Amino acid sequence: MTELDYSKLGLKVGLEIHQQLNTSHKLFCNCDTSLNETFHASLERYLRPSFSELGEVDIAALFEWQKGKKYVYKLPKNSCLVECDEEPPHLINEEALGIVTAIALSLHSTLVDEVYVMRKTVIDGSNTSGFQRTAIIALGGYIEVDGNKIGIQTIALEEDASRKISDNKDEIVYNLDRLGVPLIEISTAPDIHTPEQAEKVAFAIGQLLRMTGKVKRGIGTIRQDLNVSIQGGVKTEIKGVQRLELVPEIIRNEARRQYELLKIKEELTQRRGVTKELILENYKPTDLTSIFASTNSRLVKKELEKGALVYGVKIPKFRGIFGWELMKNRRFGTEVADYVRVLSGLGGLFHSDELPNYGISKEEVDKVKKALNVSEEDAFVLVVGDKARLQLALDTIRDRILHALEGIPKETRAALEDGTTKFMRPQPGSARMYPETDIPPRKIDSKIIELAKNFMPEKPEIKLKKFMDLGLSKELATAMLNSTKIDLFEELVNKYSPKVSPSVIASVLEVNLKYVKSKGGDISIITDDVLEYMIKLLYEDKISKDSIPEILLEYSLTKEDINKLVEKYSKISDEQLEKIVDQVIQENIRIIEEKGDKAFNVIMGKVMSKVRGKVEGKKVAEIISKRMKNYPRS
Amino acid sequence: MSETYAGKALDFLKKFNLQEGDTIELTKNGLILKGIIMPSYSSSDDILVIKLDNGYNIGISVDSISEVKLIKRGEKREEKKTEEKAVKDKSEVIIISTGGTIVSKIEYDTGAVRPALTTEEILKFMPEINEIAKIDAKVLFSILSENMKPEYWIKIANEVKNALDKGAKGVVVAHGTDTMAYTASALAFSLKSLTGPVVMVGSQRSSDRPSSDAPINLLTSVLVAKDAPFAEVTVNMHGESSDTYTLVHRGVKVRKMHTSRRDAFQSVNDIPLAKVYYRERKIEILRDDYIRKKDANEVDAKFDPNVFLLKYYPGLSPDIIDYLMNKGVKGIIVEGTGLGHTSSEFYNAFKKATKDGIFVGMTSQCLFGRVNMNVYTTGRLLQEAGVVPLEDMLPETALVKLMWVLAHETDLDKVKELMLTNFVGEINPIHVPEMYPRWYHDRIRLQ
């Protein structure tokens, strides 16, 4: 597909950046904010939507409830009765309030004068209470990126949700370790107009957050949600983009999806004259089970053996629509199938644009067409399942198809690893927010402002100069400044410099890791702890800095025990080195006698082959020159 | 005008002729904010509470507002009157609401929780109750549990009798949890004969939240009221922190043992009457010495509130007894130490009181176990002074029982006799080792 012209399309993107704060304890209790996978107990719960004063249940909440799942909570050490929803929340964590205040000030935002904690209904079980506690701390402001001011709408402080361990048809298992970890949520205005700009803005905000030195590092600690719309489209929420590099691709795909859906609408309503009435008149789900009695489709057969039925329905004048590609690997049919999967619990659907296929024969297709009275310009859909779910699925399909005449449904989509997205749930309504009455309002007083001064992020240019003053080259200092490991770098410098020079630390974090990646190593297993371990070994003089890239590469490829691996590379003492050098000289005495000083390179090469990674080349050269002097020359 | 604002913020509202519910646009620090003026629940008088379009509330100091304009006048919220309908004759289970958060509705804008216990509202909240029993509900009153009084106990007791007399199989009494055990005891002593179960129920997580324990507690209570074989006053609440089962406790042996957990209610010196599985909708009877159903309902609800519950502590002066006597107290339940002691200094004071016809009964602040005032000298001494050991009765149960007894008898010997009569299982003559909780030290130690 050719790239769309985003300015013509009226692309508008807003970001919601969620970043975990590295506070000493959680937002509403005294448990620490670490990750923890040793459990001492578990709980089983169910959630149900509460009814609002209007008697209306929030649509997103109801939707989760209909799924009727059991939630199992595993209790790690860093969870207490507050996470279990068995004790009211404590007062809001002031350290977190201070950090968010500092960030708000550096984004030129206006602080509220008093903070009100709200409850946002979330009943997918990820919050034991059935709601997420969240509060707006500041409004307005901007961040400047490449000379453009991107508006900030709100800055909120909220509690993170539980971590999902497993999910199946009947129950979801969660770990309570992450529940209650403070999160800052920064929402930008829809001021972003290209996919690439979105990535830059997300990066700039992430960098600012890291500059406070008070945010968590590692996978899952920062999440980007995107709000994307084009002219004539609707604001679609895309949740859970964990990798920054995916942001532009996801936006391109979403813009394309909305663009194609609008084209489908035009095709259906303008060209083909399809109306709501026409679809509804023809929407007569029919039991077609008998046609498939002796089918060769394993998929269908398996279901029929379980007592499932096959239903089909004609969609008039829809030929080609289901096969219409909306984005890479996703057709209109895929969209409808996702609705079916999520809302009815069936595995999906078959549509006429893809049949015969999946073992369904041409003969069967012809019979279906005949039974449903499908003509050349029509389409049909088949669903397989038990009666209750079929009904739900058929209603879902009808509603989604009708929406094709209107354009784009309001929905929340989940980001996928390949840069595409899929339907997750309908967008929540406004009924889901109400006050958290267990927590009194908190004034932003001078105490909080004072606290915030400790966390004010430094300006990048000042930081850059600081890094260069530490001895980093401009190139390395810039790389460090833009690195997600900036605060790890500062932490390590504080702990291990001057004995280990800051440029060595920066090289390990930036240069060595890139090397490992370029050699095909899996850098995801090189955690902050592993990196710190390397620096610590340097500090203790146990390894040489030249050995670090090799150790990391081997570790990332073999995933061996890092402690054992390090032994192989442990540094050898000067005496040991001298012995080796002497031995090599002895073995090659003839060459030295023949070539004199020119034999140096030969000796160097032989010694290095024995000690590579255990001692620096410079040192080897020194010792060789010294020891060679002891031998006669010709 | 505003009812919740005062001081500076109220002056501000008056000055601009604004009130709660109005949509306004204000300018603060160059930033324009639009929202609805909410009722204040701030502790500062300069704060205006605004609900933004995104649903969030924020507090803005009126001192920082440079401009304000009215966008839309708020509509006066009509408080919908819930009509008090006469209880239908054909209901299987009648739910009597006295207050608390068991089934309450949230005012989404203020966050205030108000009780909502009309039949329609309950069924809207929990349609699956229809599958269990035909219910009818009555809001008797709507008071917080801590504001409960003996005079209200009488009203509840009479209402329970009415409900059962009308042919209901059982009655559910929704009640705040803090003093539910006191009310349970009061009903147990007052309702001398019952045709069906009386199930008291509450919730530890208010019903406005998706994780509330109210639905499960209420659903299982209706089931117990309809199908349980016993005819006594019980408390039905979560049996553990998980949403798996509830426990039906004997009203005179139950105590709220935790400030906030769902399973706060536990039988003390006793085991529950039944376990109710929520998903399976199954009642498992745990013992067969329950009180059987009778042919008629009989109520005898009278309470003399001139009693006192005295918790002894080291250093407490016996002068307190003189004070209580001067105040006209007719009976004292002592929550003594261990097996039932106060310091021996109380000997004279108790002697004087009992001589004056004041009942002094001894329970233990240990809660678990029976008092025994024969083991130590002090105990014997106190008995000599006329103090009556009250077996394994819970202090609160003994207190309510004393109120009831004193409303019926004034003769000290008769009072003593009645206090030691086991009316509804408030005294358990046999304690087995399992009637004591064990704590999970090993599970949480050094993980």
Side-chain angles (χ1 to χ4, degrees):
Chain A
M1 284 185 194
T2 49
E3 180 103 10
L4 296 164
D5 180 341
Y6 296 110
S7 71
K8 249 193 211 158
L9 217 55
L11 177 70
K12 276 189 190 173
V13 181
L15 301 176
E16 271 176 37
I17 311 267
H18 300 86
Q19 165 75 60
Q20 285 178 4
L21 303 181
N22 198 14
T23 49
S24 67
H25 62 90
K26 291 184 179 177
L27 195 51
F28 297 110
C29 74
N30 293 318
C31 290
D32 71 67
T33 58
S34 63
L35 294 182
N36 203 302
E37 285 168 9
T38 323
F39 308 114
H40 62 88
S42 70
L43 292 175
E44 284 177 18
R45 296 273 175 76
Y46 301 91
L47 294 176
R48 66 160 59 215
S50 52
F51 56 154
S52 77
E53 87 239 63
L54 301 167
E56 282 167 13
V57 171
D58 181 76
I59 180 160
L62 186 67
F63 161 66
E64 290 294 339
W65 181 52
Q66 277 170 349
K67 293 201 280 188
K69 280 194 178 169
K70 173 159 88 184
Y71 305 118
V72 178
Y73 300 101
K74 300 271 186 191
L75 277 55
K77 192 173 63 179
N78 63 331
S79 67
C80 65
L81 287 185
V82 174
E83 285 90 332
C84 296
D85 191 45
E86 285 285 43
E87 182 182 328
H90 302 188
L91 292 176
I92 197 163
N93 178 335
E94 292 197 348
E95 186 188 12
L97 210 47
I99 298 167
V100 176
T101 301
I103 294 163
L105 291 174
S106 60
L107 286 170
H108 321 280
S109 289
T110 301
L111 294 166
V112 303
D113 296 302
E114 199 167 56
V115 173
Y116 285 76
V117 180
M118 306 297 287
R119 296 170 171 178
K120 192 194 277 180
T121 306
V122 180
I123 63 168
D124 63 0
S126 59
N127 288 77
T128 45
S129 56
F131 50 73
Q132 178 192 34
R133 298 188 180 95
T134 172
I136 285 187
I137 310 298
L139 298 133
Y142 62 89
I143 185 163
E144 212 169 300
V145 180
D146 292 345
N148 295 313
K149 275 188 183 173
I150 306 297
I152 302 294
Q153 284 179 336
T154 54
I155 298 175
L157 175 58
E158 51 192 38
E159 55 181 1
D160 205 346
S162 312
R163 268 204 295 163
K164 200 184 273 186
I165 297 172
S166 65
D167 186 350
N168 67 39
K169 209 165 84 248
D170 307 310
E171 64 172 40
I172 305 181
V173 182
Y174 289 103
N175 177 349
L176 290 185
D177 61 350
R178 210 181 61 185
L179 181 61
V181 171
L183 279 181
I184 183 173
E185 185 207 64
I186 299 176
S187 309
T188 77
D191 291 347
I192 298 165
H193 301 295
T194 69
E196 294 73 24
Q197 193 188 14
E199 184 182 353
K200 282 185 183 163
V201 174
F203 176 79
I205 293 174
Q207 186 182 51
L208 178 93
L209 293 173
R210 289 190 288 277
M211 293 284 185
T212 62
K214 291 300 284 183
V215 302
K216 290 212 180 269
R217 291 188 295 270
I219 296 163
T221 60
I222 186 161
R223 298 192 293 273
Q224 279 94 197
D225 292 350
L226 310 172
N227 293 321
V228 182
S229 69
I230 61 170
Q231 187 84 45
V234 297
K235 188 181 93 177
T236 301
E237 293 180 3
I238 300 167
K239 294 272 175 204
V241 186
Q242 298 213 3
R243 287 195 304 141
L244 201 59
E245 312 89 85
L246 276 182
V247 167
E249 182 64 11
I250 288 174
I251 294 170
R252 275 182 217 115
N253 279 325
E254 177 57 22
R256 168 69 67 183
R257 188 182 73 96
Q258 297 197 14
Y259 171 77
E260 297 295 342
L261 283 173
L262 291 176
K263 281 214 314 208
I264 287 178
K265 172 190 168 186
E266 195 187 308
E267 168 75 21
L268 289 172
T269 56
Q270 311 285 316
R271 289 204 192 90
R272 302 195 189 179
V274 182
T275 62
K276 190 178 165 187
E277 291 69 34
L278 180 75
I279 292 176
L280 289 178
E281 269 164 33
N282 283 278
Y283 204 81
K284 295 183 190 116
T286 311
D287 187 346
L288 303 173
T289 314
S290 60
I291 297 179
F292 295 91
S294 52
T295 185
N296 285 323
S297 165
R298 277 168 54 200
L299 226 82
V300 177
K301 212 162 148 184
K302 214 175 86 196
E303 287 298 313
L304 291 182
E305 278 162 11
K306 285 191 279 181
L309 302 173
V310 182
Y311 264 68
V313 68
K314 174 169 99 169
I315 320 290
K317 301 192 182 178
F318 254 65
R319 185 196 162 97
I321 300 292
F322 283 92
W324 191 307
E325 192 170 66
L326 301 181
M327 63 170 89
K328 184 181 65 187
N329 298 329
R330 303 207 141 244
R331 279 157 293 281
F332 180 72
T334 328
E335 291 283 290
V336 183
D338 278 341
Y339 268 72
V340 167
R341 270 190 278 272
V342 174
L343 296 174
S344 76
L346 286 188
L349 53 75
F350 300 109
H351 58 77
S352 45
D353 291 340
E354 60 182 353
L355 295 177
N357 201 343
Y358 309 106
I360 295 174
S361 65
K362 172 144 194 321
E363 208 187 338
E364 284 162 340
V365 171
D366 288 340
K367 280 186 190 164
V368 169
K369 279 186 176 167
K370 201 171 161 214
L372 295 176
N373 192 20
V374 171
S375 76
E376 265 307 291
E377 53 179 6
D378 301 333
F380 69 83
V381 170
L382 297 176
V383 273
V384 190
D386 62 77
K387 200 141 196 192
R389 287 192 180 161
L390 278 181
Q391 189 53 51
L392 209 54
L394 287 162
D395 290 351
T396 302
I397 293 167
R398 181 196 60 214
D399 294 347
R400 181 63 192 88
I401 284 169
L402 287 177
H403 222 115
L405 306 180
E406 291 165 40
I408 304 152
K410 254 184 127 44
E411 59 189 52
T412 298
R413 299 177 69 84
L416 302 177
E417 266 305 298
D418 66 350
T420 61
T421 59
K422 70 170 184 186
F423 173 72
M424 194 172 154
R425 55 175 148 83
Q427 262 179 38
S430 59
R432 67 202 292 246
M433 191 88 84
Y434 62 107
E436 168 56 274
T437 42
D438 295 344
I439 301 167
R442 174 70 162 93
K443 258 205 158 174
I444 299 284
D445 51 19
S446 54
K447 190 178 165 201
I448 297 293
I449 303 289
E450 274 307 305
L451 193 61
K453 285 183 184 157
N454 303 317
F455 310 125
M456 289 301 287
E458 269 176 301
K459 286 214 154 58
E461 49 278 23
I462 293 173
K463 203 75 159 183
L464 187 72
K465 188 170 174 297
K466 265 195 188 167
F467 287 172
M468 288 169 70
D469 290 346
L470 284 174
L472 272 60
S473 67
K474 188 166 184 190
E475 192 192 355
L476 193 54
T478 310
M480 210 61 252
L481 189 70
N482 291 332
S483 168
T484 54
K485 294 193 160 47
I486 181 168
D487 40 358
L488 177 64
F489 169 68
E490 293 190 301
E491 195 183 311
L492 296 179
V493 166
N494 276 337
K495 276 195 193 163
Y496 303 105
S497 287
K499 189 165 174 196
V500 184
S501 84
S503 22
V504 168
I505 296 175
S507 302
V508 171
L509 300 189
E510 281 303 300
V511 184
N512 294 359
L513 270 190
K514 281 202 183 102
Y515 164 79
V516 172
K517 201 175 173 186
S518 72
K519 293 280 179 184
D522 172 11
I523 60 166
S524 73
I525 70 159
I526 303 178
T527 60
D528 290 0
D529 288 342
V530 171
L531 291 167
E532 172 158 5
Y533 183 48
M534 293 298 113
I535 306 299
K536 191 162 169 263
L537 290 171
L538 275 183
Y539 182 80
E540 291 165 353
D541 236 352
K542 291 201 174 123
I543 56 171
S544 94
K545 73 174 196 305
D546 294 354
S547 66
I548 292 180
E550 303 310 321
I551 296 175
L552 291 178
L553 180 60
E554 193 169 338
Y555 174 60
S556 70
L557 291 172
T558 64
K559 302 186 177 166
E560 265 179 61
D561 180 355
I562 185 85
N563 295 298
K564 279 200 188 128
L565 227 160
V566 162
E567 269 169 38
K568 274 207 291 197
Y569 291 89
S570 65
K571 204 165 168 178
I572 52 177
S573 67
D574 286 6
E575 288 112 72
Q576 283 171 306
L577 179 60
E578 279 176 19
K579 259 189 205 154
I580 293 168
V581 170
D582 285 351
Q583 200 194 339
V584 172
I585 291 175
Q586 285 300 334
E587 285 164 12
N588 298 281
I589 195 88
R590 200 160 289 164
I591 303 176
I592 297 175
E593 280 166 358
E594 276 169 24
K595 294 194 173 172
D597 281 350
K598 283 175 191 155
F600 179 88
N601 287 343
V602 178
I603 303 295
M604 181 77 189
K606 297 206 171 192
V607 174
M608 280 312 285
S609 72
K610 292 186 182 217
V611 302
R612 195 180 307 281
K614 298 186 180 190
V615 61
E616 283 163 46
K618 208 171 113 199
K619 182 112 202 173
V620 177
E622 243 169 59
I623 302 251
I624 294 175
S625 335
K626 201 170 91 188
R627 303 305 278 191
M628 270 176 69
K629 282 183 192 139
N630 300 342
Y631 290 89
R633 308 162 185 221
S634 57
Chain B
M1 211 60 221
S2 167
E3 287 154 23
T4 61
Y5 284 93
K8 274 190 189 172
L10 182 63
D11 293 343
F12 177 89
L13 292 178
K14 278 184 184 159
K15 185 175 158 196
F16 293 99
N17 187 25
L18 296 170
Q19 54 197 11
E20 286 160 28
D22 288 350
T23 304
I24 57 166
E25 199 173 86
L26 62 84
T27 312
K28 173 190 169 68
N29 192 21
L31 185 74
I32 296 170
L33 296 172
K34 198 179 133 201
I36 300 168
I37 303 176
M38 303 303 292
S40 172
Y41 47 109
S42 173
S43 53
S44 318
D45 77 345
D46 65 321
I47 296 291
L48 205 60
V49 186
I50 304 287
K51 181 179 277 303
L52 303 172
D53 283 347
N54 58 16
Y56 278 93
N57 291 4
I58 57 170
I60 299 292
S61 170
V62 293
D63 296 336
S64 70
I65 298 174
S66 55
E67 257 179 78
V68 64
K69 73 178 178 218
L70 177 73
I71 301 294
K72 201 179 126 217
R73 219 14 116 191
E75 279 157 41
K76 199 88 191 127
R77 183 182 297 277
E78 290 282 324
E79 184 67 33
K80 251 199 275 166
K81 285 254 162 60
T82 44
E83 263 177 52
E84 195 66 46
K85 280 191 303 183
V87 169
K88 279 180 248 152
D89 288 343
K90 285 284 176 261
S91 311
E92 292 172 298
V93 172
I94 291 171
I95 302 174
I96 299 168
S97 169
T98 67
T101 54
I102 165 79
V103 172
S104 46
K105 287 210 307 197
I106 181 104
E107 298 289 351
Y108 268 72
D109 38 8
T110 61
V113 176
R114 65 173 186 85
L117 257 172
T118 65
T119 310
E120 291 74 24
E121 282 170 324
I122 290 173
L123 290 176
K124 197 163 173 188
F125 181 56
M126 289 207 70
E128 52 280 42
I129 283 184
N130 270 328
E131 298 161 23
I132 294 179
K134 276 198 238 83
I135 62 147
D136 211 337
K138 177 167 176 148
V139 180
L140 184 59
F141 29 73
S142 174
I143 48 177
L144 296 170
S145 156
E146 57 269 31
N147 296 331
M148 191 55 70
K149 287 178 185 169
E151 59 201 79
Y152 300 142
W153 297 341
I154 299 170
K155 286 188 180 162
I156 301 170
N158 288 323
E159 199 61 42
V160 168
K161 179 183 168 350
N162 286 346
L164 290 172
D165 283 347
K166 279 188 178 152
K169 288 185 170 172
V171 177
V172 173
V173 179
H175 196 289
T177 54
D178 278 8
T179 64
M180 187 153 68
Y182 290 86
T183 305
S185 284
L187 296 182
F189 294 117
S190 303
L191 294 159
K192 296 177 81 169
S193 166
L194 286 167
T195 55
V198 177
V199 190
M200 299 203 61
V201 65
S203 81
Q204 287 281 84
R205 295 283 90 73
S206 58
S207 55
D208 56 281
R209 50 167 87 201
S211 63
S212 174
D213 52 338
I216 293 176
N217 291 350
L218 190 62
L219 185 94
T220 51
S221 293
V222 170
L223 184 68
V224 170
K226 180 174 164 258
D227 288 344
F230 41 78
E232 53 180 300
V233 178
T234 59
V235 167
N236 175 50
M237 293 284 287
H238 260 60
E240 57 176 6
S241 188
S242 290
D243 290 335
T244 40
Y245 63 87
T246 60
L247 289 172
V248 185
H249 306 274
R250 183 162 264 173
V252 285
K253 291 308 260 183
V254 73
R255 201 168 188 281
K256 185 176 183 180
M257 297 298 284
H258 198 276
T259 58
S260 57
R261 286 177 62 128
R262 287 163 171 75
D263 54 0
F265 282 81
Q266 295 296 342
S267 288
V268 176
N269 297 325
D270 207 8
I271 61 162
L273 294 177
K275 193 171 175 181
V276 188
Y277 297 91
Y278 153 68
R279 299 292 282 184
E280 298 79 3
R281 293 179 188 175
K282 197 186 110 202
I283 303 172
E284 183 190 345
I285 300 295
L286 301 178
R287 49 198 285 190
D288 56 13
D289 61 343
Y290 50 79
I291 301 173
R292 263 57 182 180
K293 292 178 182 176
K294 308 282 188 335
D295 294 333
N297 298 294
E298 198 184 320
V299 64
D300 177 11
K302 277 197 276 185
F303 299 94
D304 184 341
N306 290 310
V307 294
F308 196 79
L309 178 57
L310 181 73
K311 184 161 190 153
Y312 175 75
Y313 56 89
L316 179 68
S317 160
D319 293 350
I320 184 83
I321 305 299
D322 283 338
Y323 171 81
L324 293 174
M325 285 169 68
N326 286 337
K327 284 280 166 191
V329 161
K330 292 185 205 155
I332 299 169
I333 298 296
V334 182
E335 208 181 295
T337 55
L339 288 164
H341 304 125
T342 62
S343 74
S344 43
E345 287 171 19
F346 274 73
Y347 176 79
N348 287 329
F350 284 151
K351 194 160 187 177
K352 193 173 153 206
T354 53
K355 231 178 188 167
D356 253 25
I358 294 170
F359 176 82
V360 181
M362 182 62 75
T363 61
S364 175
Q365 51 192 251
C366 295
L367 303 176
F368 287 94
R370 194 185 312 280
V371 294
N372 188 324
M373 301 174 70
N374 301 316
V375 177
Y376 295 102
T377 327
T378 307
R380 291 182 210 156
L381 208 65
L382 294 179
Q383 286 192 81
E384 239 178 76
V387 177
V388 181
L390 295 177
E391 296 283 338
D392 71 333
M393 259 190 278
L394 285 165
E396 301 87 353
T397 302
L399 185 78
V400 174
K401 186 176 182 182
L402 184 56
M403 288 188 206
W404 182 75
V405 167
L406 287 174
H408 291 82
E409 276 297 342
T410 46
D411 176 66
L412 190 54
D413 287 331
K414 282 272 174 56
V415 172
K416 268 187 208 167
E417 192 194 316
L418 290 176
M419 282 304 287
L420 290 172
T421 305
N422 195 4
F423 288 104
V424 281
E426 69 273 25
I427 295 168
N428 181 6
I430 298 167
H431 286 186
V432 295
E434 286 75 10
M435 290 171 189
Y436 185 62
R438 283 129 298 157
W439 280 260
Y440 307 107
H441 308 286
D442 51 337
R443 268 209 225 158
I444 48 179
R445 184 193 56 204
L446 301 174
Q447 289 162 48

PDB file of all heavy atoms in Angstrom, chain A residues 11 37 155 212 239 347 390 470 487 538 543:
ATOM      1  N   LEU A  11      -4.824  13.819   9.883  1.00  0.00           N
ATOM      2  CA  LEU A  11      -4.431  12.929  10.991  1.00  0.00           C
ATOM      3  C   LEU A  11      -4.197  13.729  12.267  1.00  0.00           C
ATOM      4  O   LEU A  11      -3.539  14.760  12.256  1.00  0.00           O
ATOM      5  CB  LEU A  11      -3.139  12.181  10.618  1.00  0.00           C
ATOM      6  CG  LEU A  11      -2.570  11.277  11.705  1.00  0.00           C
ATOM      7  CD1 LEU A  11      -3.455  10.059  11.932  1.00  0.00           C
ATOM      8  CD2 LEU A  11      -1.149  10.842  11.370  1.00  0.00           C
ATOM      9  N   GLU A  37       7.591 -12.600  42.682  1.00  0.00           N
ATOM     10  CA  GLU A  37       6.812 -13.731  42.176  1.00  0.00           C
ATOM     11  C   GLU A  37       6.749 -14.919  43.120  1.00  0.00           C
ATOM     12  O   GLU A  37       6.495 -16.049  42.710  1.00  0.00           O
ATOM     13  CB  GLU A  37       7.339 -14.139  40.797  1.00  0.00           C
ATOM     14  CG  GLU A  37       6.886 -13.135  39.744  1.00  0.00           C
ATOM     15  CD  GLU A  37       7.575 -13.272  38.412  1.00  0.00           C
ATOM     16  OE1 GLU A  37       8.297 -14.251  38.219  1.00  0.00           O
ATOM     17  OE2 GLU A  37       7.380 -12.378  37.574  1.00  0.00           O
ATOM     18  N   ILE A 155      -2.244  15.936  33.578  1.00  0.00           N
ATOM     19  CA  ILE A 155      -1.220  15.102  34.205  1.00  0.00           C
ATOM     20  C   ILE A 155      -1.880  14.481  35.426  1.00  0.00           C
ATOM     21  O   ILE A 155      -2.363  15.183  36.315  1.00  0.00           O
ATOM     22  CB  ILE A 155       0.016  15.931  34.596  1.00  0.00           C
ATOM     23  CG1 ILE A 155       0.638  16.542  33.335  1.00  0.00           C
ATOM     24  CG2 ILE A 155       1.021  15.073  35.362  1.00  0.00           C
ATOM     25  CD1 ILE A 155       1.783  17.475  33.611  1.00  0.00           C
ATOM     26  N   THR A 212      14.099  12.898  36.008  1.00  0.00           N
ATOM     27  CA  THR A 212      13.793  13.104  37.424  1.00  0.00           C
ATOM     28  C   THR A 212      14.579  12.121  38.280  1.00  0.00           C
ATOM     29  O   THR A 212      14.748  12.326  39.469  1.00  0.00           O
ATOM     30  CB  THR A 212      12.302  12.856  37.735  1.00  0.00           C
ATOM     31  OG1 THR A 212      11.998  11.490  37.437  1.00  0.00           O
ATOM     32  CG2 THR A 212      11.396  13.763  36.940  1.00  0.00           C
ATOM     33  N   LYS A 239      -4.379   0.777  23.069  1.00  0.00           N
ATOM     34  CA  LYS A 239      -3.788   0.562  24.395  1.00  0.00           C
ATOM     35  C   LYS A 239      -2.506  -0.257  24.335  1.00  0.00           C
ATOM     36  O   LYS A 239      -2.395  -1.178  23.520  1.00  0.00           O
ATOM     37  CB  LYS A 239      -4.783  -0.210  25.276  1.00  0.00           C
ATOM     38  CG  LYS A 239      -6.037   0.559  25.610  1.00  0.00           C
ATOM     39  CD  LYS A 239      -5.840   1.372  26.858  1.00  0.00           C
ATOM     40  CE  LYS A 239      -7.047   2.227  27.133  1.00  0.00           C
ATOM     41  NZ  LYS A 239      -6.734   3.394  27.935  1.00  0.00           N
ATOM     42  N   GLY A 347     -14.931 -18.851  18.248  1.00  0.00           N
ATOM     43  CA  GLY A 347     -13.588 -18.761  17.676  1.00  0.00           C
ATOM     44  C   GLY A 347     -13.461 -17.785  16.518  1.00  0.00           C
ATOM     45  O   GLY A 347     -12.375 -17.352  16.188  1.00  0.00           O
ATOM     46  N   LEU A 390     -24.064 -18.707  19.578  1.00  0.00           N
ATOM     47  CA  LEU A 390     -24.405 -18.364  18.188  1.00  0.00           C
ATOM     48  C   LEU A 390     -25.301 -17.133  18.153  1.00  0.00           C
ATOM     49  O   LEU A 390     -25.111 -16.227  17.343  1.00  0.00           O
ATOM     50  CB  LEU A 390     -25.130 -19.530  17.517  1.00  0.00           C
ATOM     51  CG  LEU A 390     -24.254 -20.651  16.953  1.00  0.00           C
ATOM     52  CD1 LEU A 390     -25.127 -21.714  16.315  1.00  0.00           C
ATOM     53  CD2 LEU A 390     -23.260 -20.099  15.935  1.00  0.00           C
ATOM     54  N   LEU A 470      32.219  14.864  32.987  1.00  0.00           N
ATOM     55  CA  LEU A 470      32.626  13.602  33.606  1.00  0.00           C
ATOM     56  C   LEU A 470      33.634  12.857  32.749  1.00  0.00           C
ATOM     57  O   LEU A 470      34.130  11.806  33.119  1.00  0.00           O
ATOM     58  CB  LEU A 470      31.409  12.685  33.798  1.00  0.00           C
ATOM     59  CG  LEU A 470      30.440  12.996  34.948  1.00  0.00           C
ATOM     60  CD1 LEU A 470      29.238  12.064  34.873  1.00  0.00           C
ATOM     61  CD2 LEU A 470      31.131  12.836  36.292  1.00  0.00           C
ATOM     62  N   ASP A 487      19.351   6.964  33.959  1.00  0.00           N
ATOM     63  CA  ASP A 487      19.438   7.009  35.429  1.00  0.00           C
ATOM     64  C   ASP A 487      20.233   5.839  35.990  1.00  0.00           C
ATOM     65  O   ASP A 487      20.843   5.963  37.039  1.00  0.00           O
ATOM     66  CB  ASP A 487      18.076   7.192  36.116  1.00  0.00           C
ATOM     67  CG  ASP A 487      16.982   6.401  35.476  1.00  0.00           C
ATOM     68  OD1 ASP A 487      17.266   5.733  34.475  1.00  0.00           O
ATOM     69  OD2 ASP A 487      15.853   6.438  35.986  1.00  0.00           O
ATOM     70  N   LEU A 538      34.420  -4.845  37.462  1.00  0.00           N
ATOM     71  CA  LEU A 538      35.495  -3.935  37.068  1.00  0.00           C
ATOM     72  C   LEU A 538      36.037  -3.211  38.294  1.00  0.00           C
ATOM     73  O   LEU A 538      37.245  -3.089  38.495  1.00  0.00           O
ATOM     74  CB  LEU A 538      34.961  -2.873  36.098  1.00  0.00           C
ATOM     75  CG  LEU A 538      34.883  -3.184  34.607  1.00  0.00           C
ATOM     76  CD1 LEU A 538      34.393  -1.940  33.880  1.00  0.00           C
ATOM     77  CD2 LEU A 538      36.244  -3.606  34.078  1.00  0.00           C
ATOM     78  N   ILE A 543      37.629  -8.405  36.399  1.00  0.00           N
ATOM     79  CA  ILE A 543      37.651  -8.630  34.953  1.00  0.00           C
ATOM     80  C   ILE A 543      38.247  -7.394  34.289  1.00  0.00           C
ATOM     81  O   ILE A 543      38.370  -6.347  34.924  1.00  0.00           O
ATOM     82  CB  ILE A 543      36.237  -8.881  34.359  1.00  0.00           C
ATOM     83  CG1 ILE A 543      35.292  -7.719  34.704  1.00  0.00           C
ATOM     84  CG2 ILE A 543      35.672 -10.206  34.839  1.00  0.00           C
ATOM     85  CD1 ILE A 543      33.960  -7.780  33.991  1.00  0.00           C
TER      86      ILE A 543
END
